[in-house]
Amino acid sequence: MLAAEALTEMDRWEMPSYEPRLPVTEKSNPRTRELDRARPEQLVRSLRDCDSEIFQHLWGGGAGYQGLYSDSIVQTIVHVAKKVEDILKNPEGSLIVLSGCGTSGRLAYLLATSFNRLLTGLKKERVLAYIIAGGDKALLTSQEAPEDDPQLGALNLEQVCTGKSRVLFIGISCGLSAPFVAGQLDFCMNHLDVFTPVLLGFNPVDMARNEPVPGWALTFRAVAERMLEMQKTHRAFIINPAVGPEPISGSSRMKAGSTTKILLETLLWSALTSTVTHRDVLKLLKNYEHIHRVTYSQSEQIAALVKQAGASLQKGGHVYYVGWGTLGVIGIIDASECVPTFGAEAGDICGFISEGYTAMGNTEGDMTSLGPEFCIGHKDFVSAILPNVRESDSVIFLFTLADDLDAVGDLALCVKQKTSNLHAVAHAFGAYSVPKEYEGMPQHLAPSEDRINRVFASILTITWPRAPEEESSFLMTLQVELATKWVLNAVSTGAHILKDIISDCSGGCAAELCHGALIRAVYSTDQPTEEMSTASLTEHAQTANTCSKVVPTALMMLRWKCSVREARARLQGHMIIRDAVESCLTA
Ligand SMILES: O=P(O)(O)OC[C@@]1(O)O[C@H](CO)[C@@H](O)[C@@H]1O
């Protein structure tokens, strides 16, 4: 594995010569080059190193990338936070809209609903709204077509803002690429009397997507360039630090998603607490570096979870996240991303939240009638999943010690009767970790905690300094969410990598051969074009999503040295894919 100091000049992605045709968010990351061969401990260490790139001042290397802490980025955050502050102080007729596609839209939802809840608690007006391309369905499942529709984006924005006289619009597109968001930003720039557009993403403007959008005269880059021009007179803003390539190329759910959360929270929190100076903002941002350190100080235990989850997937089992409060949301988000990212089945990794849609607080409310993927409450877990849970499945509980530990313990006991692979990610808050009624009692005697300690096969405990006031305990919750996101991103990514057995079980075929077979299976051809072979991982994943049994087909091709067609025919000869793979392995 490449340690930071072992990187050579050629490995520095920040050099202009490194994969020059790709934007930062699509480049490969040298730190995770060996990820597919790494053992869980190495894998988590590389993810840690890769995530540490989020916290940068200025990038060297000559390309002039701005980091999260760079003066110009912090200054733009200050400008936008002042606009937020103004709306919070004079909310009448005003709205702050957070919008995005996929992960970006899910984070828009999470932040808008959490801050609205806090505002209600503080007896202030709820001034935030969110938009996700494809509507609330997209919170739980991938909806790709709406992401490409700029007109739909503008229409959704107009609908949400009906009757408003002042709107701060924050459009999130990590890759500066989603036409849905570009359409909204363009709409804002054409209605500056009401709208102030803000673009949040992680590429420089000259790397914004420039591909023509069918049925639209503009490209994302044209929109971003116009915003850059308007930024000079503070009529539009772009917050776009470079945080380095993703651990898996193009998987912006990871670093870019985490930084989106950091940036939105910093904007909203500094505005809410009227701490909108360069120094305060920088301090808030730097606090997240501490969260990163604390989280990855548990690398060994994270690796153990990765191993466990990977073993479940390898055996054809499942991984279930069972979360309380917004940690349930973090689990649901992580699980929902596995389908488009890894071509996983919807049931492979699933998330559940206490109180279901009541806790979600999403605009469209209860969506359980839409199908099994939309059944996300603990009650659904108990009625539909638990009866079928087996020893090969892993169940991971996500909670803080301030949650209802009796409920945690009760559910855990039920799960334990089905599988011993029951684990927990638990957050403790310093002296406040013990529930009130047990205060003063030695921790090991507190009944709920004791039960919890005994019921789980492992508990990954992250301990945070206590948070006495209500407001700062909210900030703590946000940070606990990020820590959980990091842990779960590692678990789901690592587990899928461990599951990706192709290189091992194809009889030790060279990586290039495996890669070639996969490309042929994805594009259903024995003679892939240059364009197919060099497409980005995201494009491969999108195409792979449209066909079935990609990995088994590739495996058959390698084992039998046969064409795509023959491989598919061999697969069809078996009722169960695993049988086909097994017969292939024993042949
Ligand atoms: O770049 P953006 O506009 O934020 O994300 C666009 C997107 O297609 O890419 C992500 C995959 O990594 C998805 O979460 C999302 O749907």
Side-chain angles (χ1 to χ4, degrees):
M1 192 59 34
L2 286 166
E5 54 281 5
L7 294 179
T8 66
E9 273 299 284
M10 272 174 62
D11 288 319
R12 289 180 56 192
W13 70 263
E14 65 269 35
M15 304 285 280
S17 55
Y18 186 91
E19 300 177 348
R21 286 175 43 223
L22 295 176
V24 176
T25 54
E26 297 286 328
K27 289 183 197 289
S28 65
N29 197 314
R31 291 176 199 278
T32 50
R33 201 168 280 157
E34 306 290 323
L35 211 58
D36 57 344
R37 285 189 213 137
R39 290 204 312 272
E41 299 75 19
Q42 291 170 310
L43 186 139
V44 175
R45 275 200 298 275
S46 331
L47 293 181
R48 176 200 64 195
D49 291 348
C50 199
D51 279 327
S52 72
E53 291 182 331
I54 293 172
F55 306 102
Q56 276 284 334
H57 197 258
L58 268 179
W59 287 97
Y65 299 127
Q66 304 287 305
L68 185 66
Y69 298 156
S70 82
D71 287 351
S72 66
I73 296 292
V74 175
Q75 202 45 49
T76 313
I77 297 174
V78 169
H79 281 306
V80 177
K82 283 194 173 140
K83 302 248 172 223
V84 176
E85 189 183 17
D86 203 28
I87 290 182
L88 291 174
K89 284 188 177 150
N90 309 291
E92 220 180 302
S94 303
L95 195 64
I96 301 165
V97 181
L98 312 180
S99 174
C101 306
T103 303
S104 304
R106 294 175 195 126
L107 292 169
Y109 142 78
L110 177 62
L111 270 295
T113 47
S114 296
F115 269 85
N116 272 344
R117 253 183 233 132
L118 177 67
L119 290 172
T120 307
L122 297 171
K123 307 218 174 347
K124 293 182 190 240
E125 218 164 293
R126 296 160 72 92
V127 286
L128 286 129
Y130 72 90
I131 299 175
I132 178 163
D136 278 359
K137 279 205 302 279
L139 293 174
L140 307 174
T141 55
S142 168
Q143 304 288 324
E144 281 167 16
E147 298 187 4
D148 295 331
D149 191 337
Q151 286 93 355
L152 179 67
L155 185 70
N156 285 182
L157 178 59
E158 219 180 333
Q159 284 161 345
V160 167
C161 301
T162 311
K164 299 294 173 190
S165 52
R166 177 172 57 160
V167 177
L168 180 69
F169 173 77
I170 305 183
I172 311 152
S173 181
C174 298
L176 269 62
S177 57
F180 183 87
V181 173
Q184 297 176 321
L185 292 166
D186 182 56
F187 177 84
C188 293
M189 285 191 284
N190 296 334
H191 298 87
L192 287 173
D193 51 330
V194 174
F195 291 87
T196 304
V198 180
L199 165 59
L200 203 153
F202 304 97
N203 282 320
V205 167
D206 63 3
M207 288 183 167
R209 191 168 170 193
N210 210 23
E211 259 169 59
V213 179
W216 204 45
L218 298 168
T219 65
F220 203 111
R221 191 177 302 171
V223 170
E225 279 168 351
R226 186 170 164 215
M227 287 187 75
L228 207 54
E229 207 42 47
M230 286 188 173
Q231 182 158 247
K232 291 179 186 157
T233 47
H234 293 174
R235 289 175 298 158
F237 300 92
I238 304 181
I239 304 175
N240 61 337
V243 293
E246 295 290 344
I248 292 184
S249 309
S251 184
S252 56
R253 77 188 194 109
M254 301 186 81
K255 286 165 81 175
S258 302
T259 320
T260 297
K261 192 168 178 330
I262 292 172
L263 284 169
L264 290 176
E265 288 169 9
T266 302
L267 279 171
L268 297 169
W269 183 256
S270 61
L272 185 77
T273 51
S274 291
T275 49
V276 194
T277 65
H278 195 103
R279 210 184 58 168
D280 291 324
V281 164
L282 196 58
K283 195 171 149 207
L284 261 180
L285 292 173
K286 290 204 164 163
N287 192 32
Y288 286 96
E289 203 171 338
H290 172 67
I291 311 288
H292 174 266
R293 263 195 305 273
V294 173
T295 307
Y296 281 106
S297 67
Q298 303 291 326
S299 287
E300 258 177 49
Q301 279 198 279
I302 301 175
L305 274 184
V306 167
K307 210 176 200 164
Q308 186 56 54
S312 286
L313 294 188
Q314 270 170 339
K315 289 180 211 145
H318 308 86
V319 179
Y320 299 112
Y321 301 143
V322 177
W324 271 258
T326 49
L327 296 189
V329 177
I330 298 291
I332 286 172
I333 293 179
D334 185 87
S336 69
E337 290 158 345
C338 293
V339 177
T341 309
F342 306 109
E345 295 292 327
D348 287 357
I349 300 194
C350 304
F352 298 89
I353 178 170
S354 51
E355 312 301 331
Y357 286 97
T358 312
M360 286 285 285
N362 56 310
T363 316
E364 293 171 37
D366 196 326
M367 299 189 286
T368 39
S369 62
L370 295 181
E373 294 116 289
F374 296 90
C375 299
I376 51 162
H378 284 186
K379 278 192 186 139
D380 302 307
F381 174 74
V382 170
S383 62
I385 304 290
L386 197 53
N388 304 315
V389 166
R390 293 169 185 208
E391 192 56 29
S392 53
D393 299 326
S394 295
V395 182
I396 304 175
F397 276 38
L398 314 166
F399 58 92
T400 74
L401 293 195
D403 285 316
D404 180 352
L405 296 188
D406 284 330
V408 172
D410 290 346
L411 188 51
L413 275 178
C414 297
V415 175
K416 205 180 172 183
Q417 286 166 16
K418 295 287 190 170
T419 178
S420 61
N421 289 318
L422 172 60
H423 306 270
V425 177
H427 298 271
F429 302 103
Y432 279 70
S433 63
V434 181
K436 267 240 167 312
E437 60 269 39
Y438 309 133
E439 256 174 22
M441 196 185 275
Q443 197 152 331
H444 66 277
L445 292 181
S448 305
E449 301 221 342
D450 187 37
R451 197 150 64 113
I452 280 174
N453 281 337
R454 276 186 285 126
V455 75
F456 291 102
S458 77
I459 306 183
L460 190 168
T461 310
I462 308 184
T463 306
W464 306 94
R466 68 185 204 175
E469 296 142 30
E470 199 196 319
E471 272 186 22
S472 45
S473 82
F474 176 77
L475 187 58
M476 207 60 245
T477 305
L478 301 177
Q479 296 170 345
V480 160
E481 288 167 9
L482 181 60
T484 309
K485 177 182 184 295
W486 272 322
V487 172
L488 297 190
N489 283 173
V491 167
S492 55
T493 303
H496 278 100
I497 288 173
L498 295 182
K499 186 197 175 191
D500 190 4
I501 47 164
I502 186 159
S503 182
D504 283 344
C505 64
S506 56
C509 290
E512 301 87 77
L513 272 182
C514 295
H515 184 255
L518 275 170
I519 297 284
R520 284 157 62 206
V522 167
Y523 295 94
S524 291
T525 172
D526 289 317
Q527 271 147 352
T529 62
E530 173 73 11
E531 206 185 350
M532 290 170 183
S533 306
T534 56
S536 69
L537 195 58
T538 316
E539 286 169 76
H540 291 329
Q542 273 164 2
T543 312
N545 258 343
T546 62
C547 37
S548 64
K549 303 176 190 130
V550 170
V551 174
T553 306
L555 197 52
M556 291 285 161
M557 287 159 59
L558 288 164
R559 257 302 184 209
W560 302 108
K561 296 191 173 43
C562 65
S563 65
V564 182
R565 208 163 155 196
E566 194 184 327
R568 292 237 157 92
R570 280 179 183 274
L571 274 181
Q572 267 160 16
H574 293 268
M575 294 277 285
I576 302 172
I577 292 289
R578 198 165 357 141
D579 291 348
V581 174
E582 267 166 17
S583 75
C584 175
L585 294 178
T586 50

